Amino acid sequence: MLGGSVAVDLPITRMERLAAGLNYLFLAGMLVAIAVVLTAAMVMQFARGELPCPLCLLQRVALFGVAFAVMQNFRAFSHRNTGIGLLFALLLLIVSVRQTLLDIVPRPDHAYVGSAILGLHMPVWSVIIATVLIAAQAIALALFGGERRVARLHVEAFPALARIADFAAAYLIVLAVINLAAVVVQCGFGACHTDSYKLLRLGVEGLWAP
């Protein structure tokens, strides 16, 4: 016989199926949680008129980045996608810590942007959310192991989780488009401010200009 090895498709064990199912359940939960957080932020913006500051917008970008990495893991689970998610979670932590430190002692004409939720302002919540995201992804890697145990079973093997993931991903894509449009209207093509939507203000001023 010639030397070498032959790849054999071994049957999927019960433990592998359990590990894959728990991993996809964890990913779906993360996707839904991010969708809830971003929905709350945008409700505060549109329903309560609390425009996001530049650092707030960076935190949204970081959350969308984590969500993108999770979506990619549903397509093909890999440590690379998880690493991308961890990097965006780290960005969220850095930006939110910076904003929290800036706001600990309010400067003249400067205070927390937006109202508090359960006694905490959004930058502080972002610190908590970022810490939870980093810890959760690290724990998931420790519990479910390497790619081989998960990659052999695609999420389609779990129809309920696949439907939840598809809906959450589509919803987050819509949120991303709405957020991008809102940023353009708020900031135009210059610096962002929280006093008004720049393009709307310029449009109104143009209508009333002599």
Side-chain angles (χ1 to χ4, degrees), residues 93-109:
L93 181 61
I94 292 171
V95 175
S96 58
V97 166
R98 172 175 169 77
Q99 185 174 1
T100 301
L101 292 176
L102 287 173
D103 293 337
I104 285 178
V105 180
R107 302 180 300 280
D109 300 321

Side-chain angles (χ1 to χ4, degrees), residues 16-72:
E16 282 181 319
R17 185 175 182 85
L18 177 62
L22 289 174
N23 182 70
Y24 287 126
L25 177 62
F26 161 78
L27 292 175
M30 183 182 294
L31 213 55
V32 170
I34 293 173
V36 169
V37 171
L38 287 168
T39 299
M42 298 186 76
V43 166
M44 293 178 69
Q45 176 179 351
F46 297 121
R48 305 182 64 171
E50 298 182 358
L51 274 65
C53 65
L55 289 177
C56 300
L57 292 175
L58 279 177
Q59 290 166 53
R60 291 189 188 183
V61 169
L63 278 172
F64 279 120
V66 176
F68 170 78
V70 174
M71 292 179 201
Q72 289 298 104

Side-chain angles (χ1 to χ4, degrees), residues 47-190:
R48 305 182 64 171
E50 298 182 358
L51 274 65
C53 65
L55 289 177
C56 300
L57 292 175
L58 279 177
Q59 290 166 53
R60 291 189 188 183
V61 169
L63 278 172
F64 279 120
V66 176
F68 170 78
V70 174
M71 292 179 201
Q72 289 298 104
N73 260 337
F74 273 110
R75 294 184 61 190
F77 183 82
S78 74
H79 291 327
R80 175 177 294 178
N81 295 330
T82 304
I84 292 172
L86 284 169
L87 285 175
F88 275 108
L90 181 60
L91 173 63
L92 175 63
L93 181 61
I94 292 171
V95 175
S96 58
V97 166
R98 172 175 169 77
Q99 185 174 1
T100 301
L101 292 176
L102 287 173
D103 293 337
I104 285 178
V105 180
R107 302 180 300 280
D109 300 321
H110 178 90
Y112 275 109
V113 176
S115 55
I117 300 176
L118 299 178
L120 299 177
H121 286 270
M122 287 305 296
V124 182
W125 276 114
S126 291
V127 172
I128 296 171
I129 292 167
T131 304
V132 170
L133 286 174
I134 293 172
Q137 292 181 85
I139 291 170
L141 286 174
L143 289 178
F144 305 132
E147 300 170 17
R148 283 188 307 147
R149 301 181 63 186
V150 178
R152 294 184 67 196
L153 268 175
H154 193 262
V155 68
E156 298 302 332
F158 310 94
L161 291 177
R163 286 193 293 270
I164 293 172
D166 287 342
F167 177 81
Y171 179 76
L172 280 164
I173 291 171
V174 172
L175 278 186
V177 172
I178 294 173
N179 187 73
L180 177 61
V183 170
V184 172
V185 175
Q186 177 185 345
C187 307
F189 300 98

